[in-house]
Amino acid sequence: MRTQYCGHLNKSLAGQTVELCGWVNRRRDLGGLIFIDMRDREGIVQVVVDPDMKDVFDVANQLRNEFCIRLTGEVRTRPESQINKDMATGEVEVLAKGLEIINRSDVLPLDFNQKNTEEQRLKFRYLDLRRPEMSDRIKLRAKASSFVRRFLDENGFLDIETPVLTKATPEGARDYLVPSRVHKGSFYALPQSPQLFKQLLMMSGFDRYYQIVKCFRDEDLRADRQPEFTQIDIETSFMSAEQVREVTEKMIANMWQELLNVDLGAFPIMKYEEAMRRYGSDKPDLRNPMELVDVADILKDVDFKVFSGPANDPKGRVAVIRVPGGAVLTRKQIDEYTNFVGIYGAKGLAWMKVNDREAGFEGVQSPVAKFLNEDIVAQLLDRTQAQTGDILLFGADKKRIVEEAMGALRLKLGNDMELTDTSAWAPLWVVDFPMFEEDDEGNLHAMHHPFTSPLGVSPEELKANPAGVNSNAYDMVINGYEVGGGSVRIHNADMQSAVFDILGIAADEQRLKFGFLLDALKFGTPPHAGLAFGLDRLVMLLCGTENIRDVIAFPKTTAAACLLTDAPSIANPAALDELAIAVKAAKEDNAEQA
């Protein structure tokens, strides 16, 4: 039905007759002439309808926004004075020779010229996707996926599919369960990742595997999370962690070069311990120049328990952020930041304004200054390299709370004070994560997943000091977002059992949940390692947006609902009966019935 896309028309086609299909983006009636901005997925072109073409003019008079039309016309160049430099097709226009209304449009529930609510956009997503901004994002996503396939194919990786209906495994979030009609009372789990299957593929001899795959996690959502997301899954045999990082770094660097014409440069490597110490985060945004500075040794003897308590606690931390130019902050603004860190469990936010650096103690302003002497203030100013006009913000509490609160505060201040260079790209690798992390009850949990290999220890050494061992794991971070994570996997049955033992998974439970994996590890398992990228997050960064819903064609809300289809919905009682499932009434329903 078409010979060209609207957005592909240019001066080289001048004088040619073209057939176009698309939508009316805008119609302007100037009395003697009608101008139509016609749009398809590749862009917009201006169409001119001359009243001398009566039949065409009569049809054009009926057009309204979003009418679906087909048009035949002649491409002609615009006069120099009428060139529209804001349009890719601005040097040409099409003189209409034939016009057909394929389908009319009702008044739209969205206004393309106004800012609509996200609920409206998601409910009428098929209309929202017509907007050039959204269309460009989906096209860029397609280009990113295509690039990944080409790169991995050219580097000897095989695209292999793995099951979607599988067995539940502990990977950090709740599983989505699928009931079995054949095996009543039994359930499949939708995969949180293809983790075990890709390891089994390594055991099968497919030494370079990849898959662009849907994964499912029933967890609390946010701007960069969805209940179903797309993962670029990569696994290799006989490759070290350094080699895996090398090939995947090359893939991402080449992707940025091809799609954005951006050179990311070499990715620095930072240990987890350093990232947490300097930035309070294992995914630091290096575009932000501020860092956390430890000052516990300076404050351990002060007569102020808010400082001295954590400073003398082995599990405590006292850290300072120096905010350049921050002395301009008002008391109201400081109170707002105090409320902000409270979200992360911090009990307060002490501050010190540096009004005159040369004046030392006399040049600072702080409600806690009365607890400090001249020497301590001098040491604080020296260590933080404070300058006149700065403010020092103090976090003092348990180490985890200080890191979470001050790490988040650092990011917020970077944006609020315009200290973060939003025009820059800052990739890095974070490596040497702890093998396990401890919860408030003292229980150990795998920081990545229980199939990650410990770094440089035997099973016996791991059991003797599990909290002191690092894992051979690595994350790729870009601009403060973890875009990919991976590790060297355990390829020894004894080591895998040792990890399960530390995690409190009893021997019979190990056999029940992972018997097939433990058996497979006994048959010449090769050393293997891998990495998985979040395609949605990568495309989000490529597009310059901060919400992955902007780069997914039909996303869910933060309540894991699809406003377009009204999913999830109540199941047919007959279907539930066939599955031998009874739905338990919610408490509020019972209360109403009572």
Side-chain angles (χ1 to χ4, degrees):
M1 296 178 69
R2 61 155 62 102
T3 60
Q4 300 283 343
Y5 281 109
C6 295
H8 289 173
L9 300 184
N10 55 49
K11 289 169 62 175
S12 69
L13 298 170
Q16 294 188 26
T17 298
V18 294
E19 295 180 15
L20 308 174
C21 293
W23 288 267
V24 176
N25 194 66
R26 186 170 61 144
R27 173 186 172 277
R28 289 165 288 150
D29 189 342
L30 302 185
L33 294 173
I34 293 176
F35 291 90
I36 303 164
D37 288 345
M38 187 174 176
R39 185 191 74 244
D40 59 23
R41 81 171 204 193
E42 294 300 313
I44 298 174
V45 70
Q46 177 174 282
V47 175
V48 181
V49 184
D50 194 304
D52 291 341
M53 303 287 295
K54 187 176 185 309
D55 291 345
V56 177
F57 198 83
D58 288 345
V59 175
N61 259 324
Q62 303 174 46
L63 297 182
R64 297 293 181 269
N65 287 0
E66 297 309 307
F67 274 34
C68 184
I69 61 176
R70 182 185 180 203
L71 180 136
T72 303
E74 178 188 337
V75 180
R76 63 186 191 184
T77 57
R78 294 196 199 186
E80 187 71 29
S81 61
Q82 296 179 18
I83 290 176
N84 186 343
K85 295 181 180 180
D86 294 329
M87 291 175 62
T89 61
E91 292 184 317
V92 298
E93 61 187 13
V94 179
L95 178 63
K97 300 285 187 68
L99 180 61
E100 172 191 353
I101 297 176
I102 297 175
N103 230 326
R104 297 172 182 267
S105 173
D106 288 345
V107 176
L108 297 181
L110 298 179
D111 186 344
F112 287 1
N113 297 314
Q114 301 292 328
K115 187 173 183 179
N116 303 285
T117 67
E118 188 169 42
E119 288 74 16
Q120 287 174 300
R121 291 177 55 208
L122 293 179
K123 184 172 180 63
F124 300 99
R125 189 64 162 185
Y126 47 87
L127 296 177
D128 186 47
L129 290 174
R130 290 184 189 175
R131 294 191 299 119
E133 180 183 29
M134 291 301 298
S135 177
D136 289 345
R137 289 169 177 169
I138 298 302
K139 287 190 293 182
L140 186 58
R141 182 188 180 106
K143 290 178 181 178
S145 297
S146 176
F147 174 87
V148 168
R149 293 187 189 280
R150 282 187 283 113
F151 179 91
L152 293 174
D153 288 345
E154 290 167 3
N155 282 273
F157 288 82
L158 300 176
D159 184 357
I160 306 176
E161 295 179 348
T162 53
V164 173
L165 296 176
T166 183
K167 188 181 182 73
T169 58
E171 294 192 42
R174 291 179 292 273
D175 290 304
Y176 280 102
L177 301 178
V178 179
S180 170
R181 177 186 59 82
V182 177
H183 305 281
K184 287 183 170 55
S186 296
F187 294 81
Y188 301 102
L190 299 181
Q192 295 185 35
S193 80
Q195 182 62 48
L196 293 181
F197 286 106
K198 64 186 178 185
Q199 289 189 243
L200 291 170
L201 285 170
M202 296 302 102
M203 300 170 193
S204 304
F206 298 101
D207 63 332
R208 292 195 176 196
Y209 140 95
Y210 84 94
Q211 186 181 185
I212 298 181
V213 59
K214 280 289 186 187
C215 301
F216 308 86
R217 293 182 185 176
D218 185 5
E219 58 187 347
D220 294 334
L221 305 183
R222 58 191 185 202
D224 63 344
R225 277 185 185 167
Q226 281 279 289
E228 52 179 318
F229 57 95
T230 306
Q231 191 164 285
I232 304 168
D233 209 46
I234 298 171
E235 196 78 8
T236 68
S237 296
F238 307 111
M239 285 179 68
S240 66
E242 292 75 17
Q243 291 171 319
V244 171
R245 293 202 299 268
E246 180 182 358
V247 71
T248 52
E249 178 178 323
K250 183 179 179 182
M251 182 181 79
I252 297 303
N254 288 2
M255 179 190 292
W256 252 248
Q257 187 70 61
E258 179 171 313
L259 300 183
L260 297 184
N261 195 29
V262 167
D263 181 3
L264 291 176
F267 293 20
I269 299 174
M270 183 180 296
K271 291 187 177 183
Y272 169 88
E273 182 181 7
E274 179 184 356
M276 298 303 294
R277 175 175 53 81
R278 294 174 60 188
Y279 305 106
S281 172
D282 60 1
K283 47 182 185 295
D285 186 348
L286 300 186
R287 301 172 303 164
N288 182 328
M290 293 182 290
E291 297 188 14
L292 277 64
V293 178
D294 286 309
V295 293
D297 59 316
I298 298 174
L299 298 171
K300 63 181 180 179
D301 295 324
V302 299
D303 189 20
F304 184 48
K305 292 194 179 302
V306 170
F307 286 165
S308 60
N312 288 283
D313 183 351
K315 294 185 177 181
R317 185 177 181 186
V318 184
V320 175
I321 296 176
R322 177 179 70 86
V323 185
V328 299
L329 293 175
T330 65
R331 185 57 186 266
K332 180 182 177 184
Q333 289 173 308
I334 295 172
D335 289 344
E336 289 173 352
Y337 287 123
T338 302
N339 293 335
F340 175 78
V341 296
I343 297 171
Y344 300 89
K347 301 179 186 67
L349 184 66
W351 55 271
M352 178 182 292
K353 290 186 178 183
V354 185
N355 297 324
D356 184 351
R357 176 67 175 86
E358 298 303 318
F361 184 84
E362 298 301 323
V364 301
Q365 173 191 353
S366 172
V368 299
K370 59 187 176 183
F371 301 107
L372 313 176
N373 58 39
E374 291 187 17
D375 180 56
I376 288 176
V377 169
Q379 290 184 66
L380 291 172
L381 297 179
D382 286 343
R383 184 167 295 181
T384 58
Q385 299 181 0
Q387 304 295 323
T388 298
D390 295 346
I391 190 171
L392 304 182
L393 299 175
F394 295 77
D397 211 309
K398 295 294 184 185
K399 184 172 180 288
R400 177 183 59 80
I401 292 176
V402 169
E403 289 170 348
E404 290 183 2
M406 299 301 279
L409 179 63
R410 170 182 172 271
L411 296 178
K412 182 170 176 56
L413 285 164
N415 291 327
D416 292 351
M417 303 291 290
E418 297 183 351
L419 296 169
T420 299
D421 184 359
T422 55
S423 65
W425 291 101
L428 79 152
W429 289 103
V430 178
V431 302
D432 292 358
F433 289 79
M435 185 72 182
F436 303 101
E437 55 186 344
E438 187 177 320
D439 62 21
D440 293 336
E441 283 74 45
N443 300 314
L444 294 178
H445 302 274
M447 180 163 271
H448 271 67
H449 54 65
F451 316 109
T452 298
S453 178
L455 190 59
V457 296
S458 66
E460 293 73 25
E461 290 169 328
L462 178 66
K463 284 186 174 183
N465 182 28
V469 175
N470 286 335
S471 64
N472 201 350
Y474 34 83
D475 282 356
M476 182 188 289
V477 177
I478 300 179
N479 291 3
Y481 289 96
E482 178 198 330
V483 296
S487 65
V488 172
R489 322 302 189 187
I490 295 171
H491 65 279
N492 174 277
D494 291 338
M495 181 65 80
Q496 188 64 75
S497 292
V499 170
F500 286 154
D501 289 342
I502 292 167
L503 294 174
I505 303 175
D508 56 346
E509 188 179 358
Q510 292 179 30
R511 291 303 311 174
L512 178 65
K513 291 184 174 180
F514 308 106
F516 63 95
L517 176 67
L518 295 172
D519 288 341
L521 288 170
K522 299 175 182 176
F523 298 106
T525 298
H528 54 286
L531 187 146
F533 288 100
L535 177 63
D536 310 300
R537 287 187 188 175
L538 286 173
V539 178
M540 179 185 76
L541 288 170
L542 289 167
C543 289
T545 181
E546 296 181 348
N547 193 326
I548 61 171
R549 290 191 290 277
D550 289 338
V551 300
I552 299 173
F554 299 103
K556 304 289 191 297
T557 67
T558 52
C562 175
L563 300 182
L564 175 65
T565 62
D566 285 332
S569 58
I570 302 298
N572 185 310
L576 292 177
D577 189 54
E578 189 174 18
L579 293 166
I581 292 177
V583 177
K584 186 177 180 180
K587 290 183 179 179
E588 48 267 33
D589 293 340
N590 292 336
E592 288 177 7
Q593 293 172 3

